[in-house]
Structure formats: C-alpha cells, structure tokens
C-alpha cells in the first residue's frame, strides 16, 4: 500500500540547478510531489561573481555550493548527476547519459551558453559561463605576466600584456574593471623586469554605449570610471576577426594573447529537444504560464525561455527573472496538484546593478540611481544576500574585506567535472617567441596559443575536485595532480629542456 501511494505521486523532473531550477526545487520540497533534479554539475553556481574567480578575487568554492547539501534534508527530492541530451516528448522521458527519467511535469532551466554568431572563435575567445571557464581565463591572465617577465622579444611582450574584453554588458564591464584593479594594485610590485601597470586593457562594444539596459547617464558614469582605472573603451566597434595572436576591429589589428568573450549568449538546445518554436537565439517561445505551446505539462524558464514583457520586449536574461519564474512554476504545479487555478506569470523588475572595480558600482532601481562607493556598498550587500548558504556569504564578505584593505588576491582551485565525466581544464602553453634556445627557435605546435587541451587518461583519477597550488614549476599539469616535464604534454621533446623557464604560482 505504501509503494502504491508513492507511485500515485506526480513526478516532476527539473533539468538544471541554476537560479530558476533550484528556486523551483526548493519550493517543491515537503509537498505531495516526487521531484528529480538533473544537472551536469554537482554544484549550484552563483554566476554573477564568476568574473571574480577569473581575476583571483574569490575561490570557486566561495560561489559554488553542492546541490545535494542544499537538498539533503528533503525527502521528496532526489538529485541525479548527468548531462541531458534530449527529451522524448511522446513517452514523457528525459534522456541523460543512458538514463531515461520519466516525468509527469517537466521544468527545463538549462540557461545559456556562448554564442559567437557563426564564427569559429571559441578556441581564441573564451567566454565566462562555468567554473572551468573562470579557471581557464585566470590561467591565461596570470601566465601572460609570467611569460612577459622572461620574454626578450619586445613585440611578443607587448602582445602578452594586452588584454581585450569583447562586450560592454555587465559581464564585460565587470571583467575589464577587475583586470584593471588586478594589474594596477595586486600585481603592481610582484615582478622585477616588467611593470604590470603598463598592461593595456581594451573593452570593445559594438553599441553606442556601455550597459545598454541601464539609463544613459549611468552608462556614461561606467565609461568614465573604467577610463579612470586605465581601461580603453572602444564604442561602436565590432570584432571582425580573431586568432591566437590578436583581434581585428575592422581594418585595425590589436595584438593580444588574452581575449575574453562577453558579447553574446544563446540558449542551450532545449528547443531542439522539444521540437518547439524558438527565436534566433534559441530561446523557446512560451505561454503566459511559461509552458510550451501544446504541452501544458512542460515548462521552460530562465535564459532558455522567450517571454515578452508588458513593453513588448523579451524579459532580461538575469538571475532575478529566472528565480521568479522558477518560484512561479513551482507554485503553479502545487496549485494544479490541489486542483486549483493559478494566475499567469508577471515579472517584477527589482533593478539592475554592475560593479566597476573594487569600490565603485552603478545601481538602478526604478527611479533610484546610485554610483561610486555608495553604489558599490549596495551591490555588495545585494550579492551577499543572494548567495546560497551561510558559508558562502561569510567567506565572500571576508575575502572582499581582505582584498579591500590589503589589495591582495590569490586562490587556486582546479576543477574539471562535467556531468558524470571528468575533463581536464584547458592548459596554458608558452608563446611562440618564448620557445627559443640560444636565439634559435624550437619546434612548436602548428598554431600555438595560450592554452593546450587534452583529456585525462583513466576517467576515475579525478573523481573528486582537488585544490591545488602549483609553485615554481612548468605550467603543464599531469592528471595525477603533480608538475611533470613538458614531454608528458605531447609537445616536441626540445621544449622539455626549458620547463624551468616557464613558472607560475
């Protein structure tokens, strides 16, 4: 009889444990519904602070919380670590790494991914969506200074010390400001040959102004603040080409080994899974209750959904929208389970915020506009409040206080978990000019960049995430977690003779 009662419960599957998916799951706890949360990562990530991981302000553990720990006291919710590959709408099953997970109601909250608008730039233009992205970008930034310290070729050194951020939205503005603070303060006295303050930071935006979702006066304030930090702001400029040595803006060429993409995103392939109508960015067009047309039991929320607001424009792709939509769908399903009706979804815009460096931010909440230090304090309080868990709030607040008072940053965390498989993070490799012996160029890969990707050997060697500090060794890293010779990376043997020259910490 007990088993029959369990089977009678309505089965709800939530794909994605981001802001929307987790908000829905938490509201569905302790209800007469069986909930399954499926995610390719075992943690919930607070993406708005990901850029601080990429610039050494925070540790990944400060902004990521294990999903199971968040739901461990809930009996009606289970968690599955797997990467979803499709949805069988006819059989009402989610397909994930060999599993077929049945559902009565489905919530898709898979978020967004990088969009390069049809260009093959992914290997040269890393974006910032995951912890692995942040670690890879940090590797590029820190290694650029280490290579520049020992670089004898002036042109190559200049290329290494040029940093380009493409995209003038909140992510691009915050990233450019944080890199400027890193080079002007944290790294300013760490090197003996180069002066990190001589680094050139360029922010490229195709629109006439930065932060187009903000009031024009705040956009102008953001531009001035960035320029005071030493950031070159290029407006009405679009990237027309990119390779391992730099980017092109029309006819102009900017030489750089570190180019970061913050210009465009597209929805994950939820529309393909469902065979649903979508816009050019892949967002599923949903009804006013966030359900897919023709499928009242399938919902798409967050960055994967296209829903027009009262002004006829798509609702913004930010955490606030996803959280409100997740809570709405959860309440709707609870009401349906009790045979009650529920009103259509209405989004309440709470405001927009963006940080510019360590003590300046812009805040727009309806008629209220704040800038400078006061805006930064509001920004800080808002982010600490929305962080998940007491530990994260405490550690982030302490790190910010420490960074503010001492100007010091520094954390090391290597992660490589994607679904139930383990991938090694993108590895950094030396620049072409760095690989020389007595003035003679050494053999090198056909298209050298600041990263080298390869898979681990046995899949179970890194079944757990490890914190690892690499100090005074080759920037290549063996799957066992120790520094090894460059020979083990698969590069030409001659390169291994100079492993000692390439160091980072």
């Amino acid at each position: 009889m007990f088993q029959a009662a369990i089977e009678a419960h309505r089965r709800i599957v939530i794909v994605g444990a981001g802001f929307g998916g987790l908000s829905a799951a938490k509201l569905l706890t302790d209800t007469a519904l069986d909930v399954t949360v499926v995610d390719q990562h075992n943690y919930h990530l607070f993406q708005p602070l990901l850029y601080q991981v990429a610039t050494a302000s925070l540790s990944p553990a400060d902004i990521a919380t294990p999903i199971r720990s968040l739901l461990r006291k809930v009996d009606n919710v289970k968690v599955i670590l797997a990467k979803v590959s499709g949805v069988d709408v006819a059989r009402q099953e989610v397909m994930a790494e060999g599993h077929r997970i049945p559902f009565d109601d489905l919530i898709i909250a898979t978020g967004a991914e990088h969009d390069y608008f049809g260009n093959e730039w992914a290997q040269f233009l890393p974006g910032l969506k995951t912890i692995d992205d942040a670690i890879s970008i940090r590797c590029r930034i820190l290694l650029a200074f280490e290579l520049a310290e020992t670089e004898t070729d002036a042109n190559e050194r200049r290329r290494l010390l040029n940093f380009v951020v493409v995209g003038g939205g909140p992510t691009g503005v915050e990233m450019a400001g944080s890199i400027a603070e890193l080079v002007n303060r944290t790294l300013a006295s760490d090197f003996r040959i180069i002066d990190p303050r001589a680094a050139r930071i360029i922010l490229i935006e195709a629109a006439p102004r930065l932060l187009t979702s903000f009031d024009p006066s705040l956009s102008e304030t953001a531009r001035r603040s960035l320029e005071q930090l030493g950031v070159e702001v290029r407006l009405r400029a679009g990237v027309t080409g990119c390779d391992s040595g730099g980017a092109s803006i029309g006819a102009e060429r900017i030489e750089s080994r570190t180019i970061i993409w913050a210009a465009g995103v597209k929805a994950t392939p939820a529309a393909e899974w469902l065979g649903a109508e979508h816009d050019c960015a892949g967002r599923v067009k949903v009804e006013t209750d966030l359900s897919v047309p023709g499928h009242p039991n399938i919902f798409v929320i967050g960055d994967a959904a296209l829903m027009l607001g009262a002004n006829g424009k798509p609702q913004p792709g930010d955490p606030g929208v996803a959280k409100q939509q997740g809570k709405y769908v959860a309440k709707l399903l609870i009401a349906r389970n009790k045979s009650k009706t529920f009103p259509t979804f209405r989004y309440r815009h709470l405001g927009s915020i963006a940080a510019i460096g360590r003590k300046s931010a812009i805040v727009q909440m309806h008629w209220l506009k704040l800038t400078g230090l006061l805006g930064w304090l509001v920004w800080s309080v808002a982010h600490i409040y929305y962080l998940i868990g007491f530990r994260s709030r405490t550690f982030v607040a302490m790190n910010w206080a420490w960074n503010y008072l001492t100007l010091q940053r520094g954390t090391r965390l290597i992660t490589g978990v994607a679904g139930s498989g383990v991938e090694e993070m993108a590895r950094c490799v030396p620049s072409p000019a760095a690989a020389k012996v007595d003035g003679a160029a050494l053999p090198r890969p056909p298209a050298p960049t600041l990263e080298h990707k390869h898979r681990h050997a046995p899949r179970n060697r890194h079944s757990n995430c490890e914190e690892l500090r690499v100090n005074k060794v080759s920037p290549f890293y063996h799957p066992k977690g120790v520094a090894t010779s460059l020979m083990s990376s698969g590069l030409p043997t001659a390169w291994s003779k100079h492993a000692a020259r390439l160091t980072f910490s």
Side-chain angles (χ1 to χ4, degrees):
M1 181 178 295
F2 178 77
Q3 183 64 26
I6 292 296
E7 290 177 352
H9 289 176
R10 197 163 180 85
R11 300 164 300 180
I12 299 174
V13 175
I14 302 174
V15 180
F19 290 102
L22 186 61
S23 296
K26 294 176 74 172
L27 265 183
L28 291 170
T29 59
D30 300 322
T31 62
L33 298 166
D34 289 335
V35 181
T36 301
V37 178
V38 186
D39 199 290
Q40 63 177 335
H41 301 291
N42 76 326
Y43 53 84
H44 166 79
L45 177 64
F46 192 82
Q47 282 191 344
L49 291 180
L50 202 55
Y51 79 94
Q52 294 208 1
V53 175
T55 53
S57 291
L58 296 175
S59 162
D62 295 336
I63 63 170
T65 307
I67 301 169
R68 293 187 184 278
S69 70
L70 296 172
L71 303 172
R72 65 180 180 275
K73 297 181 180 179
V74 183
D75 294 331
N76 69 313
V77 179
K78 67 178 180 179
V79 179
I80 295 178
L81 177 66
K83 186 173 182 178
V84 172
S85 57
V87 176
D88 190 331
V89 177
R91 297 179 60 178
Q92 295 198 155
E93 292 177 336
V94 172
M95 295 173 286
E97 297 190 15
H99 304 286
R100 297 185 74 91
I101 308 169
F103 65 85
D104 296 308
D105 296 289
L106 173 64
I107 302 175
I108 296 180
T110 49
E113 57 190 18
H114 309 307
D115 184 11
Y116 296 95
F117 308 112
N119 298 296
E120 300 295 330
W121 294 342
Q123 60 178 318
F124 310 121
L125 275 167
L128 191 60
K129 278 294 180 183
T130 67
I131 287 178
D132 295 327
D133 292 337
I135 295 299
S136 176
I137 290 173
R138 168 196 259 164
C139 176
R140 286 170 175 261
I141 294 173
L142 297 180
L143 186 58
F145 288 98
E146 297 293 345
L147 294 176
E149 177 79 351
T150 58
E151 181 57 63
T152 58
D153 184 278
N155 291 329
E156 180 62 20
R157 179 183 293 177
R158 183 171 59 254
R159 187 179 293 113
L160 286 165
L161 294 180
N162 285 347
F163 300 90
V164 178
V165 180
V166 183
T171 300
V173 166
E174 291 175 335
M175 175 61 76
S178 191
I179 294 175
E181 292 281 4
L182 178 69
V183 303
N184 291 330
R185 300 178 185 276
T186 307
L187 301 180
S189 59
D190 285 1
F191 295 86
R192 298 296 176 264
I193 298 177
I194 64 169
D195 182 0
R197 291 169 294 188
R200 185 183 177 196
I201 304 160
I202 305 165
L203 177 62
I204 300 172
E205 170 55 44
R209 61 185 178 92
L210 301 175
L211 301 168
T212 54
S213 61
F214 286 75
D215 184 85
S217 62
L218 293 178
S219 297
E220 181 61 20
T221 298
R223 184 189 64 79
R224 290 198 303 267
S225 298
L226 286 172
E227 290 178 344
Q228 289 174 0
L229 290 174
V231 178
E232 297 179 30
V233 179
R234 302 284 191 91
L235 301 176
R236 293 184 175 89
V239 174
T240 56
C242 181
D243 55 42
S244 62
S248 299
I249 307 175
E252 181 185 2
R253 170 79 172 178
I254 299 178
E255 298 293 327
S256 174
R257 289 291 182 191
T258 306
I259 311 173
I260 301 168
W261 181 257
V265 295
K266 62 181 179 181
T268 47
E272 297 178 15
W273 298 345
L274 303 173
E277 186 179 1
H278 56 87
D279 68 353
C280 59
R283 295 176 294 185
V284 177
K285 296 182 179 180
V286 296
E287 303 283 6
T288 55
D289 63 353
L290 299 173
S291 65
V292 177
H295 301 284
N297 65 326
I298 300 178
F299 303 86
V300 182
I301 63 176
D303 291 341
L306 174 65
M307 188 175 187
L308 302 180
N311 57 1
K313 297 181 179 180
Q315 291 175 347
D318 60 46
V321 175
K323 293 185 72 167
Q324 290 184 36
Q325 290 179 343
K327 292 178 180 179
Y328 169 83
V329 173
K331 292 177 181 178
L332 172 63
L333 293 176
I334 293 173
R336 283 186 182 179
N337 195 53
K338 297 178 180 179
S339 301
K340 296 180 179 180
T341 58
F342 203 72
T344 58
F345 174 74
R346 292 185 61 187
Y347 168 61
R348 294 183 299 108
H349 183 59
L350 301 179
S352 301
I353 53 180
I356 308 158
R358 57 189 281 271
K359 58 180 180 179
S360 179
I362 57 174
V363 178
Q364 180 175 331
M365 296 186 295
H366 304 294
W367 54 269
L368 179 63
K369 301 174 185 176
L370 302 174
T371 61
L373 181 59
L374 181 58
W376 183 82
L377 291 173
V378 173
W379 176 91
S380 301
V381 171
H383 280 71
I384 291 174
Y385 174 78
Y386 282 110
L387 275 167
I388 303 294
F390 176 78
R391 178 195 176 280
S392 293
R393 295 188 182 109
T394 302
F395 275 67
V396 169
M398 291 174 60
N399 272 325
W400 282 348
W402 177 260
N403 294 344
Y404 188 88
L405 294 174
T406 67
L407 306 181
Q408 295 299 313
R409 311 181 186 190
T411 55
R412 298 292 186 271
L413 185 67
I414 306 297
T415 59
V417 178
S420 61
V422 179
E423 299 285 339
E424 184 180 4
M425 62 166 284
R427 303 311 315 152
C428 299
V429 302
S431 63
K436 295 179 180 179
V437 179
D438 299 328
L442 292 175
R444 61 177 186 252
T449 68
L450 278 181
E451 70 177 339
H452 171 66
K453 298 181 178 180
H454 64 275
R455 293 178 178 270
H456 283 317
R459 162 178 176 175
N460 61 355
R461 290 190 177 181
H462 274 194
S463 57
N464 297 315
C465 300
E466 300 179 18
E467 185 162 358
L468 173 60
R469 181 175 181 85
V470 182
N471 203 10
K472 300 302 179 185
V473 295
S474 160
F476 288 93
Y477 155 78
H478 190 270
K480 290 184 178 179
V482 298
T484 61
S485 70
L486 292 179
M487 188 182 302
S488 66
S489 70
L491 291 177
T493 305
W495 283 42
S496 63
K497 298 178 181 179
H498 300 276
R501 295 183 59 231
L502 308 174
T503 64
F504 74 104
S505 62

